[in-house]
Amino acid sequence: MNTRLEDSALVLPGLLLVAFAFLLPIAQMIGLSVQGETGPTLAHFTRFLGDPYHLGVLWRTVRLSLLITLICVAIGFPYAYIAARVGPRLRLWLVLIVVLPLMTSVVVRTFGWMVLLSRNGLVSEAVRELGLGRRNYQVMQTEAAIVIGMVQVLLPFMTLSILGVITKIDTRLEEAARTMGASFLGTLRTVVLPLAMPGIVAGSLLVFTLSASSFVTPNLLGGARIQMLASSIYRSMTQTLDWPFAAAQAVILFVGVFLVLIPYVRVASGGDRG
Amino acid sequence: MVNRVPWWLGVLAVLFLVLTTVYLLAPLVVVVGVSVSESQFVAFPPTGFSLRWYGEALTSDAFLSAAWLSLRVAVLVTLSTVVVGGMAAVAIHRRKLPGASVMEALFLSPLVLPTIIYAVGMLMLWSQLFGPVSLLALWVGHTVIALPYVVRTTLAVLSRADPFLEEAAATMGAGRIARLRHIVLPQAAPGLAAGAFFAFNISFDEAVVALFLRNPNLTTLPVQIYGRLEFSPDPSVAAVSTVMIAITVGLIVVIDRVIGIKSVA
């Protein structure tokens, strides 16, 4: 009985903080999103969903996030597999290469991409050299810039999710498949890939939601013309000062992320609790 | 024996690793490169070698006051997350409270909620209740998003600790406070330390909450850099960014020493 009292005292400050500084702001935002001049209204939502410009922003957000997620899987899975199967020394380096950018400020990383993708940047020049873009072509302020930058920002989440699952796969399963005559690639496809699925799914949902809601990188690399949902929210908050509309957009993002996250929580709690 | 990987796949794998490494590290290398350039302009590869932009950054009031604010907030956030999150993790770990797993999910939930949604809500609530944002607002905001990391690392470390030590101490007559201090705290210490470094790093590097909760007197270092990137970056921005990268590298080294970088992954 006394232990309960002690535990309650230990957990109480945290609970108060989460209740008042986390749950309350979200509730406040949801409240503001349906607030009209004369009472509750859905006008802010219908305004968003009835406007081709805003629907375009939403569609671009979903489309680019899907693309970014796919590319992250395509790079993250082989990287994680190699990292899981090499010796411990090399593995440490491979993990460090992923963790270092992950822990570096997104603003700093985006700055690096701005330099590389600008008119005189290495990437833009390479694109011109290869004859893929016209003279004076720059990658900055295109959707391609957003994708290039965002994949670099989010790849660590994907790689670490998959790595966590692959390191738990029993290598004897792969050896068994090889002994039975499966080729290396065949083993990868029929043994490793299905077993790594929980990590791929978890990583994909994480990358998708982070991508759909990220603001700094798309805003700086895409410029004012190529808006994504988060930059649109920021603009409504700080430039047009239309807070109820900003709240409505945030709620739309919140609902979208929530719908995507339900399966994520299921996979995460069923998959890698052990 | 089964022959291992075909040779051409090995070559392909090496090539893939090299390309991915270049891709992941390129923006960081570029920023460091720009910072030591002699040129007036932001350009890569750098022309010449000079540390003048570091001097420029170190004498800029805007950068210095932003760095000072970031440092103060990060230290405050580290202290508050370690105390509040550490205590909560100890209680949740014991599983004696009803709804302990619900509480765990609650404490970890800021991890999955997009930061921009939280930042919007926080600014709306704060301005409604208290008016203009302040250091306190930033402290609270960053504490909320850094808290899950401390709770998670501490829970992970505690789950590997010997559960009978506390019981043994109790049998030997150790009181509540003594047990917390001499048994639980040392057991939780590596998790608390790792969580502290994460909390510091997250608060110091965070841009979204800080962008929403800003005013001319309340501009953190990442927000200052963000503003310069929108407007007109010169190599002094790269110098400041390089310092931030150096701090991150330092924190990673310390985390590796304290708990091993593998437990991060």
Side-chain angles (χ1 to χ4, degrees), chain A residues 45-70:
Chain A
F45 289 94
T46 49
R47 186 179 139 203
F48 183 93
L49 297 171
D51 178 358
Y53 173 76
H54 284 111
L55 281 181
V57 168
L58 183 62
W59 169 233
R60 174 182 296 126
T61 306
V62 173
R63 186 165 47 87
L64 291 188
S65 300
L66 277 175
L67 182 63
I68 289 161
T69 308
L70 280 176

PDB file of all heavy atoms in Angstrom, chain A residues 45-70:
ATOM      1  N   PHE A  45     -12.750  23.513 -41.984  1.00  0.00           N
ATOM      2  CA  PHE A  45     -12.450  22.252 -42.668  1.00  0.00           C
ATOM      3  C   PHE A  45     -13.001  22.267 -44.087  1.00  0.00           C
ATOM      4  O   PHE A  45     -12.327  21.853 -45.028  1.00  0.00           O
ATOM      5  CB  PHE A  45     -13.040  21.066 -41.889  1.00  0.00           C
ATOM      6  CG  PHE A  45     -12.322  20.802 -40.603  1.00  0.00           C
ATOM      7  CD1 PHE A  45     -12.780  21.348 -39.415  1.00  0.00           C
ATOM      8  CD2 PHE A  45     -11.176  20.035 -40.584  1.00  0.00           C
ATOM      9  CE1 PHE A  45     -12.105  21.134 -38.228  1.00  0.00           C
ATOM     10  CE2 PHE A  45     -10.498  19.808 -39.404  1.00  0.00           C
ATOM     11  CZ  PHE A  45     -10.968  20.362 -38.224  1.00  0.00           C
ATOM     12  N   THR A  46     -14.263  22.742 -44.227  1.00  0.00           N
ATOM     13  CA  THR A  46     -14.858  22.754 -45.559  1.00  0.00           C
ATOM     14  C   THR A  46     -14.103  23.724 -46.465  1.00  0.00           C
ATOM     15  O   THR A  46     -13.958  23.475 -47.663  1.00  0.00           O
ATOM     16  CB  THR A  46     -16.351  23.147 -45.487  1.00  0.00           C
ATOM     17  OG1 THR A  46     -16.467  24.320 -44.688  1.00  0.00           O
ATOM     18  CG2 THR A  46     -17.172  22.043 -44.894  1.00  0.00           C
ATOM     19  N   ARG A  47     -13.575  24.807 -45.850  1.00  0.00           N
ATOM     20  CA  ARG A  47     -12.797  25.749 -46.647  1.00  0.00           C
ATOM     21  C   ARG A  47     -11.547  25.068 -47.198  1.00  0.00           C
ATOM     22  O   ARG A  47     -11.187  25.243 -48.362  1.00  0.00           O
ATOM     23  CB  ARG A  47     -12.399  26.932 -45.749  1.00  0.00           C
ATOM     24  CG  ARG A  47     -11.719  28.045 -46.503  1.00  0.00           C
ATOM     25  CD  ARG A  47     -11.369  29.175 -45.561  1.00  0.00           C
ATOM     26  NE  ARG A  47     -10.050  29.700 -45.858  1.00  0.00           N
ATOM     27  CZ  ARG A  47      -9.312  30.346 -44.983  1.00  0.00           C
ATOM     28  NH1 ARG A  47      -9.747  30.527 -43.756  1.00  0.00           N
ATOM     29  NH2 ARG A  47      -8.134  30.796 -45.328  1.00  0.00           N
ATOM     30  N   PHE A  48     -10.884  24.271 -46.358  1.00  0.00           N
ATOM     31  CA  PHE A  48      -9.683  23.567 -46.798  1.00  0.00           C
ATOM     32  C   PHE A  48     -10.019  22.544 -47.872  1.00  0.00           C
ATOM     33  O   PHE A  48      -9.376  22.496 -48.924  1.00  0.00           O
ATOM     34  CB  PHE A  48      -9.011  22.881 -45.595  1.00  0.00           C
ATOM     35  CG  PHE A  48      -7.725  22.188 -45.944  1.00  0.00           C
ATOM     36  CD1 PHE A  48      -6.514  22.853 -45.815  1.00  0.00           C
ATOM     37  CD2 PHE A  48      -7.707  20.868 -46.383  1.00  0.00           C
ATOM     38  CE1 PHE A  48      -5.328  22.229 -46.142  1.00  0.00           C
ATOM     39  CE2 PHE A  48      -6.517  20.235 -46.706  1.00  0.00           C
ATOM     40  CZ  PHE A  48      -5.331  20.920 -46.587  1.00  0.00           C
ATOM     41  N   LEU A  49     -11.061  21.747 -47.596  1.00  0.00           N
ATOM     42  CA  LEU A  49     -11.366  20.632 -48.496  1.00  0.00           C
ATOM     43  C   LEU A  49     -12.068  21.090 -49.766  1.00  0.00           C
ATOM     44  O   LEU A  49     -12.175  20.325 -50.726  1.00  0.00           O
ATOM     45  CB  LEU A  49     -12.215  19.591 -47.752  1.00  0.00           C
ATOM     46  CG  LEU A  49     -11.495  18.943 -46.563  1.00  0.00           C
ATOM     47  CD1 LEU A  49     -12.443  18.094 -45.735  1.00  0.00           C
ATOM     48  CD2 LEU A  49     -10.307  18.092 -47.036  1.00  0.00           C
ATOM     49  N   GLY A  50     -12.546  22.337 -49.779  1.00  0.00           N
ATOM     50  CA  GLY A  50     -13.230  22.822 -50.971  1.00  0.00           C
ATOM     51  C   GLY A  50     -12.329  23.654 -51.872  1.00  0.00           C
ATOM     52  O   GLY A  50     -12.747  24.115 -52.923  1.00  0.00           O
ATOM     53  N   ASP A  51     -11.084  23.852 -51.445  1.00  0.00           N
ATOM     54  CA  ASP A  51     -10.199  24.738 -52.185  1.00  0.00           C
ATOM     55  C   ASP A  51      -9.151  23.929 -52.941  1.00  0.00           C
ATOM     56  O   ASP A  51      -8.370  23.203 -52.328  1.00  0.00           O
ATOM     57  CB  ASP A  51      -9.531  25.688 -51.173  1.00  0.00           C
ATOM     58  CG  ASP A  51      -8.543  26.619 -51.845  1.00  0.00           C
ATOM     59  OD1 ASP A  51      -8.340  26.503 -53.062  1.00  0.00           O
ATOM     60  OD2 ASP A  51      -7.963  27.458 -51.126  1.00  0.00           O
ATOM     61  N   PRO A  52      -9.156  24.030 -54.268  1.00  0.00           N
ATOM     62  CA  PRO A  52      -8.203  23.222 -55.061  1.00  0.00           C
ATOM     63  C   PRO A  52      -6.757  23.464 -54.661  1.00  0.00           C
ATOM     64  O   PRO A  52      -5.947  22.536 -54.667  1.00  0.00           O
ATOM     65  CB  PRO A  52      -8.447  23.697 -56.501  1.00  0.00           C
ATOM     66  CG  PRO A  52      -9.723  24.435 -56.485  1.00  0.00           C
ATOM     67  CD  PRO A  52     -10.010  24.868 -55.099  1.00  0.00           C
ATOM     68  N   TYR A  53      -6.428  24.716 -54.277  1.00  0.00           N
ATOM     69  CA  TYR A  53      -5.040  25.002 -53.899  1.00  0.00           C
ATOM     70  C   TYR A  53      -4.638  24.163 -52.685  1.00  0.00           C
ATOM     71  O   TYR A  53      -3.611  23.491 -52.680  1.00  0.00           O
ATOM     72  CB  TYR A  53      -4.856  26.489 -53.597  1.00  0.00           C
ATOM     73  CG  TYR A  53      -3.496  26.786 -53.040  1.00  0.00           C
ATOM     74  CD1 TYR A  53      -2.379  26.815 -53.883  1.00  0.00           C
ATOM     75  CD2 TYR A  53      -3.294  26.978 -51.669  1.00  0.00           C
ATOM     76  CE1 TYR A  53      -1.115  27.056 -53.384  1.00  0.00           C
ATOM     77  CE2 TYR A  53      -2.024  27.210 -51.157  1.00  0.00           C
ATOM     78  CZ  TYR A  53      -0.948  27.255 -52.018  1.00  0.00           C
ATOM     79  OH  TYR A  53       0.308  27.462 -51.527  1.00  0.00           O
ATOM     80  N   HIS A  54      -5.492  24.193 -51.664  1.00  0.00           N
ATOM     81  CA  HIS A  54      -5.151  23.458 -50.442  1.00  0.00           C
ATOM     82  C   HIS A  54      -5.206  21.955 -50.646  1.00  0.00           C
ATOM     83  O   HIS A  54      -4.409  21.212 -50.084  1.00  0.00           O
ATOM     84  CB  HIS A  54      -6.064  23.893 -49.294  1.00  0.00           C
ATOM     85  CG  HIS A  54      -5.674  25.233 -48.743  1.00  0.00           C
ATOM     86  ND1 HIS A  54      -6.435  26.356 -48.904  1.00  0.00           N
ATOM     87  CD2 HIS A  54      -4.571  25.625 -48.072  1.00  0.00           C
ATOM     88  CE1 HIS A  54      -5.825  27.380 -48.361  1.00  0.00           C
ATOM     89  NE2 HIS A  54      -4.690  26.977 -47.842  1.00  0.00           N
ATOM     90  N   LEU A  55      -6.156  21.507 -51.465  1.00  0.00           N
ATOM     91  CA  LEU A  55      -6.194  20.075 -51.775  1.00  0.00           C
ATOM     92  C   LEU A  55      -4.921  19.657 -52.499  1.00  0.00           C
ATOM     93  O   LEU A  55      -4.391  18.565 -52.279  1.00  0.00           O
ATOM     94  CB  LEU A  55      -7.425  19.753 -52.632  1.00  0.00           C
ATOM     95  CG  LEU A  55      -8.734  19.648 -51.871  1.00  0.00           C
ATOM     96  CD1 LEU A  55      -9.872  19.302 -52.829  1.00  0.00           C
ATOM     97  CD2 LEU A  55      -8.654  18.597 -50.764  1.00  0.00           C
ATOM     98  N   GLY A  56      -4.419  20.558 -53.350  1.00  0.00           N
ATOM     99  CA  GLY A  56      -3.161  20.283 -54.056  1.00  0.00           C
ATOM    100  C   GLY A  56      -2.005  20.142 -53.076  1.00  0.00           C
ATOM    101  O   GLY A  56      -1.147  19.266 -53.223  1.00  0.00           O
ATOM    102  N   VAL A  57      -1.985  21.022 -52.062  1.00  0.00           N
ATOM    103  CA  VAL A  57      -0.944  20.937 -51.033  1.00  0.00           C
ATOM    104  C   VAL A  57      -1.029  19.596 -50.312  1.00  0.00           C
ATOM    105  O   VAL A  57      -0.018  18.912 -50.091  1.00  0.00           O
ATOM    106  CB  VAL A  57      -1.088  22.106 -50.026  1.00  0.00           C
ATOM    107  CG1 VAL A  57      -0.212  21.882 -48.807  1.00  0.00           C
ATOM    108  CG2 VAL A  57      -0.734  23.428 -50.702  1.00  0.00           C
ATOM    109  N   LEU A  58      -2.263  19.202 -49.985  1.00  0.00           N
ATOM    110  CA  LEU A  58      -2.467  17.930 -49.277  1.00  0.00           C
ATOM    111  C   LEU A  58      -2.009  16.753 -50.153  1.00  0.00           C
ATOM    112  O   LEU A  58      -1.302  15.852 -49.682  1.00  0.00           O
ATOM    113  CB  LEU A  58      -3.952  17.783 -48.926  1.00  0.00           C
ATOM    114  CG  LEU A  58      -4.340  16.541 -48.114  1.00  0.00           C
ATOM    115  CD1 LEU A  58      -3.658  16.535 -46.762  1.00  0.00           C
ATOM    116  CD2 LEU A  58      -5.853  16.467 -47.931  1.00  0.00           C
ATOM    117  N   TRP A  59      -2.388  16.796 -51.432  1.00  0.00           N
ATOM    118  CA  TRP A  59      -2.045  15.716 -52.356  1.00  0.00           C
ATOM    119  C   TRP A  59      -0.529  15.635 -52.530  1.00  0.00           C
ATOM    120  O   TRP A  59       0.061  14.557 -52.529  1.00  0.00           O
ATOM    121  CB  TRP A  59      -2.771  15.923 -53.682  1.00  0.00           C
ATOM    122  CG  TRP A  59      -2.317  15.040 -54.810  1.00  0.00           C
ATOM    123  CD1 TRP A  59      -1.916  15.444 -56.043  1.00  0.00           C
ATOM    124  CD2 TRP A  59      -2.213  13.612 -54.805  1.00  0.00           C
ATOM    125  NE1 TRP A  59      -1.573  14.356 -56.797  1.00  0.00           N
ATOM    126  CE2 TRP A  59      -1.735  13.223 -56.075  1.00  0.00           C
ATOM    127  CE3 TRP A  59      -2.470  12.618 -53.855  1.00  0.00           C
ATOM    128  CZ2 TRP A  59      -1.503  11.895 -56.427  1.00  0.00           C
ATOM    129  CZ3 TRP A  59      -2.237  11.288 -54.195  1.00  0.00           C
ATOM    130  CH2 TRP A  59      -1.777  10.937 -55.463  1.00  0.00           C
ATOM    131  N   ARG A  60       0.134  16.810 -52.647  1.00  0.00           N
ATOM    132  CA  ARG A  60       1.592  16.810 -52.777  1.00  0.00           C
ATOM    133  C   ARG A  60       2.232  16.211 -51.522  1.00  0.00           C
ATOM    134  O   ARG A  60       3.175  15.427 -51.614  1.00  0.00           O
ATOM    135  CB  ARG A  60       2.107  18.228 -52.991  1.00  0.00           C
ATOM    136  CG  ARG A  60       3.648  18.271 -52.979  1.00  0.00           C
ATOM    137  CD  ARG A  60       4.204  19.669 -53.137  1.00  0.00           C
ATOM    138  NE  ARG A  60       3.870  20.246 -54.434  1.00  0.00           N
ATOM    139  CZ  ARG A  60       3.266  21.409 -54.579  1.00  0.00           C
ATOM    140  NH1 ARG A  60       2.902  22.090 -53.523  1.00  0.00           N
ATOM    141  NH2 ARG A  60       3.012  21.874 -55.782  1.00  0.00           N
ATOM    142  N   THR A  61       1.687  16.562 -50.367  1.00  0.00           N
ATOM    143  CA  THR A  61       2.227  16.040 -49.106  1.00  0.00           C
ATOM    144  C   THR A  61       2.160  14.516 -49.084  1.00  0.00           C
ATOM    145  O   THR A  61       3.140  13.841 -48.763  1.00  0.00           O
ATOM    146  CB  THR A  61       1.438  16.624 -47.914  1.00  0.00           C
ATOM    147  OG1 THR A  61       1.439  18.049 -48.025  1.00  0.00           O
ATOM    148  CG2 THR A  61       2.050  16.207 -46.597  1.00  0.00           C
ATOM    149  N   VAL A  62       0.996  13.970 -49.459  1.00  0.00           N
ATOM    150  CA  VAL A  62       0.821  12.517 -49.432  1.00  0.00           C
ATOM    151  C   VAL A  62       1.719  11.853 -50.479  1.00  0.00           C
ATOM    152  O   VAL A  62       2.422  10.874 -50.201  1.00  0.00           O
ATOM    153  CB  VAL A  62      -0.663  12.154 -49.683  1.00  0.00           C
ATOM    154  CG1 VAL A  62      -0.833  10.645 -49.830  1.00  0.00           C
ATOM    155  CG2 VAL A  62      -1.529  12.671 -48.544  1.00  0.00           C
ATOM    156  N   ARG A  63       1.719  12.438 -51.687  1.00  0.00           N
ATOM    157  CA  ARG A  63       2.469  11.842 -52.799  1.00  0.00           C
ATOM    158  C   ARG A  63       3.968  11.818 -52.508  1.00  0.00           C
ATOM    159  O   ARG A  63       4.619  10.791 -52.622  1.00  0.00           O
ATOM    160  CB  ARG A  63       2.167  12.669 -54.052  1.00  0.00           C
ATOM    161  CG  ARG A  63       2.714  12.156 -55.358  1.00  0.00           C
ATOM    162  CD  ARG A  63       2.023  12.875 -56.538  1.00  0.00           C
ATOM    163  NE  ARG A  63       1.959  14.327 -56.363  1.00  0.00           N
ATOM    164  CZ  ARG A  63       2.923  15.161 -56.737  1.00  0.00           C
ATOM    165  NH1 ARG A  63       3.995  14.705 -57.307  1.00  0.00           N
ATOM    166  NH2 ARG A  63       2.807  16.466 -56.544  1.00  0.00           N
ATOM    167  N   LEU A  64       4.511  12.977 -52.083  1.00  0.00           N
ATOM    168  CA  LEU A  64       5.947  13.038 -51.818  1.00  0.00           C
ATOM    169  C   LEU A  64       6.321  12.166 -50.621  1.00  0.00           C
ATOM    170  O   LEU A  64       7.363  11.510 -50.617  1.00  0.00           O
ATOM    171  CB  LEU A  64       6.399  14.485 -51.578  1.00  0.00           C
ATOM    172  CG  LEU A  64       6.368  15.419 -52.787  1.00  0.00           C
ATOM    173  CD1 LEU A  64       7.009  16.756 -52.453  1.00  0.00           C
ATOM    174  CD2 LEU A  64       7.086  14.798 -53.977  1.00  0.00           C
ATOM    175  N   SER A  65       5.450  12.126 -49.609  1.00  0.00           N
ATOM    176  CA  SER A  65       5.755  11.299 -48.441  1.00  0.00           C
ATOM    177  C   SER A  65       5.819   9.827 -48.819  1.00  0.00           C
ATOM    178  O   SER A  65       6.674   9.090 -48.327  1.00  0.00           O
ATOM    179  CB  SER A  65       4.713  11.520 -47.342  1.00  0.00           C
ATOM    180  OG  SER A  65       4.714  12.871 -46.955  1.00  0.00           O
ATOM    181  N   LEU A  66       4.903   9.392 -49.696  1.00  0.00           N
ATOM    182  CA  LEU A  66       4.930   8.001 -50.154  1.00  0.00           C
ATOM    183  C   LEU A  66       6.227   7.706 -50.909  1.00  0.00           C
ATOM    184  O   LEU A  66       6.887   6.689 -50.670  1.00  0.00           O
ATOM    185  CB  LEU A  66       3.734   7.716 -51.065  1.00  0.00           C
ATOM    186  CG  LEU A  66       2.419   7.381 -50.372  1.00  0.00           C
ATOM    187  CD1 LEU A  66       1.296   7.249 -51.401  1.00  0.00           C
ATOM    188  CD2 LEU A  66       2.543   6.077 -49.583  1.00  0.00           C
ATOM    189  N   LEU A  67       6.590   8.629 -51.804  1.00  0.00           N
ATOM    190  CA  LEU A  67       7.804   8.447 -52.594  1.00  0.00           C
ATOM    191  C   LEU A  67       9.029   8.383 -51.682  1.00  0.00           C
ATOM    192  O   LEU A  67       9.900   7.506 -51.827  1.00  0.00           O
ATOM    193  CB  LEU A  67       7.934   9.596 -53.597  1.00  0.00           C
ATOM    194  CG  LEU A  67       9.121   9.554 -54.550  1.00  0.00           C
ATOM    195  CD1 LEU A  67       9.035   8.325 -55.436  1.00  0.00           C
ATOM    196  CD2 LEU A  67       9.173  10.812 -55.416  1.00  0.00           C
ATOM    197  N   ILE A  68       9.092   9.317 -50.721  1.00  0.00           N
ATOM    198  CA  ILE A  68      10.220   9.364 -49.782  1.00  0.00           C
ATOM    199  C   ILE A  68      10.300   8.055 -48.993  1.00  0.00           C
ATOM    200  O   ILE A  68      11.373   7.477 -48.800  1.00  0.00           O
ATOM    201  CB  ILE A  68      10.064  10.580 -48.842  1.00  0.00           C
ATOM    202  CG1 ILE A  68      10.309  11.874 -49.633  1.00  0.00           C
ATOM    203  CG2 ILE A  68      10.995  10.486 -47.644  1.00  0.00           C
ATOM    204  CD1 ILE A  68       9.752  13.120 -48.987  1.00  0.00           C
ATOM    205  N   THR A  69       9.124   7.551 -48.574  1.00  0.00           N
ATOM    206  CA  THR A  69       9.095   6.302 -47.811  1.00  0.00           C
ATOM    207  C   THR A  69       9.620   5.134 -48.662  1.00  0.00           C
ATOM    208  O   THR A  69      10.430   4.326 -48.191  1.00  0.00           O
ATOM    209  CB  THR A  69       7.658   5.996 -47.349  1.00  0.00           C
ATOM    210  OG1 THR A  69       7.147   7.153 -46.685  1.00  0.00           O
ATOM    211  CG2 THR A  69       7.628   4.813 -46.409  1.00  0.00           C
ATOM    212  N   LEU A  70       9.168   5.066 -49.916  1.00  0.00           N
ATOM    213  CA  LEU A  70       9.609   3.977 -50.796  1.00  0.00           C
ATOM    214  C   LEU A  70      11.126   4.002 -50.993  1.00  0.00           C
ATOM    215  O   LEU A  70      11.796   2.968 -50.906  1.00  0.00           O
ATOM    216  CB  LEU A  70       8.912   4.093 -52.162  1.00  0.00           C
ATOM    217  CG  LEU A  70       7.494   3.568 -52.218  1.00  0.00           C
ATOM    218  CD1 LEU A  70       6.879   3.817 -53.593  1.00  0.00           C
ATOM    219  CD2 LEU A  70       7.482   2.066 -51.910  1.00  0.00           C
TER     220      LEU A  70
END
